[in-house]
Amino acid sequence: MSTSIQGGPSLPQERKLVTAIPGPKSQEILARKNAAVASGVGVALPVSIVAAGGGVLVDVDGNSLIDLGSGIAVTGVGNSAPRVVEAVKQQVEQFTHTCFTVTPYEGYIAVSEKLNELIPGDFEKRSALFNSGAEAVENAIKVARHYTGRNAVVVFDHAYHGRTNLTMGMPAKNIPYKDGFGPFAPEVYRVPTSYPYRDGLSGAEAAANAISQIDKQVGFNNVAAVIIEPIQGEGGFIAPAPGVLPALQQWANEQGIVFILDEVQTGFARTGDMFAAQHEGVVADIVTTAKGIAGGLPLSAVTGRADIMDSAHAGGLGGTYAGNPIACAAALATIETYEAENLTERANQIGAVITEFFTTLQQSDDRIGDIRGRGAMQAIELVESGSKAPNPALTGAIAKFAADNGVLVLTCGTYGNVIRFLPALAISDELLLEGLQVVADALAAN
Ligand SMILES: *Cc1c(COP(=O)(O)O)cnc(C)c1O
């Protein structure tokens, strides 16, 4: 294995294929994966990565791929971003772990202070840190139940919230998340939401539908929490019609229901604001964050109103690794990078490039049914020509063509017919456009 490849941002920002994808060395490693790793752990693109930075992934065969997924919206600041590398190096030399709930350290507290400051809401807040997005969602619900003394949790069509037992009952998609993995946790209720491309409802209509179903099926007085992604991620980058989120927020507040925004995928500059809720001035009681928080180190957070968050007794929240000191150091450096490099602005520029590119292409290809998203969280929904029938076959073919040609794109959507673009905010316009052109070539070839 080459040791001369420099990690991080010093990698040449180029698409360069020196073998077929996957190359021979990747194939050898993937054969070992098949023999050693449980089959349930699938891979989207079967190459073995040795370095990544800016907008590229470099594999073991020396191929340089354009990365339009950033590890599912995690490495927003770029892979091995300089501030993150420096902070991690310093922390790893000081100490790697104490368990915060045994003997605390300042990094955890500093991350909490920063989140309390950044997350919308002009009130006193508290945060608690965890390892994964699912764990943050679980803990947000624990807190909401403890605070309200109620059990029911309301989720929405097209939702995703994770893969642990409680959160596995929350996604609206059977394959791959739930099939054969039940029984699921009780007291999770699903109601319709808003899918502007497909339902044509106004925000007021969609919110009224949801609230009416909650009333009939659950009863407001039984609901501990309503949880919603401000833009649904795995469900297909569906931004609800304007007005849905403010209406739900207002109704939840009136009913003493904890309003939780799951910003695990949308948070941290991704959508062109630090948090997607800012777009409509929505203020949640609790916000869950993870993915973009720490430049690739595992960390998640629950941040909310002090009275709600403080309602859980001491010892009720925590976990051995929760808020690991290295992950906290990385988070502080990552958040500093978003702010110092003005990456919300950059996310909007990236969004404009993607939107313009596909708007032009759509004029000559009506299989691009919808182009949507905000900031650097953009998607195209692919349909059969002349209709809105989902076209998952074309979607898969495009992802495959792109991979074969050195571009990583991720798919998503309840109907499996959405290609999502989540590039690192560190990507150049040039590289981004080169990647998009490969998607256009894929459309032309299919
Ligand atoms: C990814 C995701 C989760 C789960 O996060 P993990 O870190 O994979 O557990 C939860 N909610 C949303 C909106 C996500 O996108």
Side-chain angles (χ1 to χ4, degrees):
M1 191 177 109
S2 167
T3 51
S4 63
I5 294 169
Q6 293 187 301
S10 58
L11 291 172
Q13 295 296 297
E14 61 181 7
R15 178 171 63 113
K16 194 182 85 182
L17 296 184
V18 296
T19 70
I21 300 292
K25 289 180 183 164
S26 279
Q27 287 187 31
E28 260 173 51
I29 292 169
L30 267 289
R32 283 168 51 202
K33 170 198 177 281
N34 294 339
V37 179
S39 307
V41 184
V43 299
L45 204 174
V47 295
S48 186
I49 299 302
V50 293
V56 300
L57 297 161
V58 176
D59 77 11
V60 65
D61 290 288
N63 298 299
S64 177
L65 310 164
I66 299 177
D67 178 12
L68 298 182
S70 51
I72 320 187
V74 168
T75 51
V77 291
N79 237 302
S80 299
R83 286 182 184 84
V84 176
V85 170
E86 198 42 49
V88 166
K89 276 186 184 162
Q90 279 185 22
Q91 181 58 45
V92 82
E93 285 173 353
Q94 296 305 311
F95 62 95
T96 52
H97 174 84
T98 63
C99 186
F100 185 80
T101 53
V102 176
T103 45
Y105 37 87
E106 190 185 354
Y108 184 119
I109 297 160
V111 171
S112 301
E113 287 168 346
K114 195 71 197 171
L115 291 170
N116 296 348
E117 172 199 320
L118 288 175
I119 288 191
D122 192 14
F123 42 75
E124 207 175 319
K125 300 188 199 93
R126 302 280 187 270
S127 288
L129 305 184
F130 302 95
N131 302 291
S132 69
E135 213 184 339
V137 170
E138 291 239 358
N139 279 280
I141 290 167
K142 274 171 70 169
V143 168
R145 284 176 167 160
H146 204 283
Y147 174 76
T148 58
R150 305 172 180 177
N151 292 326
V153 175
V154 173
V155 296
F156 292 86
D157 280 345
H158 313 291
Y160 181 75
H161 296 290
R163 293 170 178 267
T164 54
N165 185 263
L166 172 59
T167 61
M168 196 169 50
M170 299 165 73
K173 198 172 178 184
N174 180 44
I175 296 279
Y177 305 122
K178 307 167 87 154
D179 195 56
F181 294 134
F184 306 111
E187 291 301 320
V188 175
Y189 298 89
R190 185 175 317 286
V191 299
T193 175
S194 165
Y195 196 148
Y197 174 62
R198 293 193 173 274
D199 65 23
L201 297 175
S202 73
E205 289 164 343
N209 280 351
I211 290 167
S212 150
Q213 285 229 14
I214 297 166
D215 183 23
K216 289 191 211 96
Q217 289 182 17
V218 197
F220 297 164
N221 60 319
N222 294 311
V223 179
V226 168
I227 178 163
I228 189 164
E229 298 153 80
I231 300 175
Q232 293 181 310
E234 304 303 300
F237 283 24
I238 308 163
V244 169
L245 296 175
L248 290 176
Q249 176 204 332
Q250 195 194 338
W251 160 80
N253 290 353
E254 286 164 7
Q255 298 299 328
I257 294 166
V258 178
F259 182 62
I260 306 174
L261 281 177
D262 182 351
E263 292 246 22
V264 166
Q265 191 157 161
T266 50
F268 298 102
R270 178 54 56 187
T271 64
D273 289 303
M274 204 55 157
F275 295 97
Q278 286 166 264
H279 186 72
E280 283 189 277
V282 176
V283 174
D285 298 312
I286 294 181
V287 175
T288 54
T289 53
K291 293 191 166 98
I293 194 173
L297 277 90
L299 189 73
S300 66
V302 181
T303 302
R305 288 183 188 272
D307 56 335
I308 299 177
M309 294 295 294
D310 282 340
S311 72
H313 49 272
L317 305 177
T320 307
Y321 294 114
N324 170 272
I326 302 169
C328 286
L332 292 171
T334 300
I335 295 168
E336 187 192 321
T337 304
Y338 287 123
E339 290 183 324
E341 309 288 333
N342 199 10
L343 291 181
T344 50
E345 172 85 30
R346 181 61 193 142
N348 282 319
Q349 291 165 357
I350 287 171
V353 169
I354 297 172
T355 308
E356 193 194 319
F357 185 90
F358 286 109
T359 304
T360 306
L361 203 61
Q362 190 183 36
Q363 283 156 20
S364 58
D365 193 340
D366 73 345
R367 295 173 304 168
I368 302 176
D370 197 21
I371 304 158
R372 60 174 178 253
R374 212 179 290 148
M377 183 172 183
Q378 295 286 337
I380 53 175
E381 175 160 354
L382 298 170
V383 293
E384 305 285 348
S385 183
S387 84
K388 284 191 178 182
N391 198 338
L394 176 63
T395 309
I398 288 173
K400 170 83 170 69
F401 180 103
D404 290 346
N405 288 280
V407 180
L408 171 64
V409 294
L410 299 172
T411 62
C412 64
T414 297
Y415 312 109
N417 67 328
V418 175
I419 294 185
R420 52 174 155 177
F421 301 99
L422 292 165
L425 308 176
I427 199 170
S428 68
D429 278 0
E430 203 184 2
L431 201 66
L432 173 61
L433 281 165
E434 186 177 336
L436 298 180
Q437 186 54 48
V438 170
V439 175
D441 295 346
L443 273 160
N446 285 278

